[in-house]
Amino acid sequence: MNQDILNQNDANTQKLNWEAFIKQDVLNFLMAHNLQAITVDDGAGKKGVIKRSAKGELAVQITSNEKL
């Protein structure tokens, strides 16, 4: 039972780390290089997309495949 809780906590931590990576490091890279869009894929089902709209607004989309 305790192992299940630890595994669930590890999965939640990895998800937060991925979201933080997209919203911080990848976003900073996009802005520093004045890019219109960037897509990041970890090869294991997680993907992050950041796009700049015509108005200059930034849209962030984060997806993941999770096995239950």
Side-chain angles (χ1 to χ4, degrees), residues 48-59:
V49 179
I50 303 175
K51 294 180 181 179
R52 189 183 310 264
S53 72
K55 294 180 183 179
E57 298 171 339
L58 295 170

Side-chain angles (χ1 to χ4, degrees), residues 18 40-48 62-66:
W18 178 252
V40 179
D41 187 340
D42 76 344
K46 294 179 187 172
K47 183 184 276 189
I62 299 171
T63 58
S64 65
N65 288 334
E66 296 180 25

Side-chain angles (χ1 to χ4, degrees), residues 1 3 6 9 12-13 24-25 27 29 32 45 67-68:
M1 180 77 165
Q3 188 64 31
L6 291 175
N9 287 340
N12 289 339
T13 300
Q24 293 174 5
D25 295 339
L27 179 62
F29 182 85
K67 294 181 182 179
L68 303 175

Side-chain angles (χ1 to χ4, degrees), residues 22-24 26-32 34-38 49-61:
I22 298 297
K23 291 179 180 178
Q24 293 174 5
V26 176
L27 179 62
N28 289 337
F29 182 85
L30 177 127
M31 293 172 66
N34 199 26
L35 302 173
Q36 292 298 314
I38 192 167
V49 179
I50 303 175
K51 294 180 181 179
R52 189 183 310 264
S53 72
K55 294 180 183 179
E57 298 171 339
L58 295 170
V60 178
Q61 180 181 9

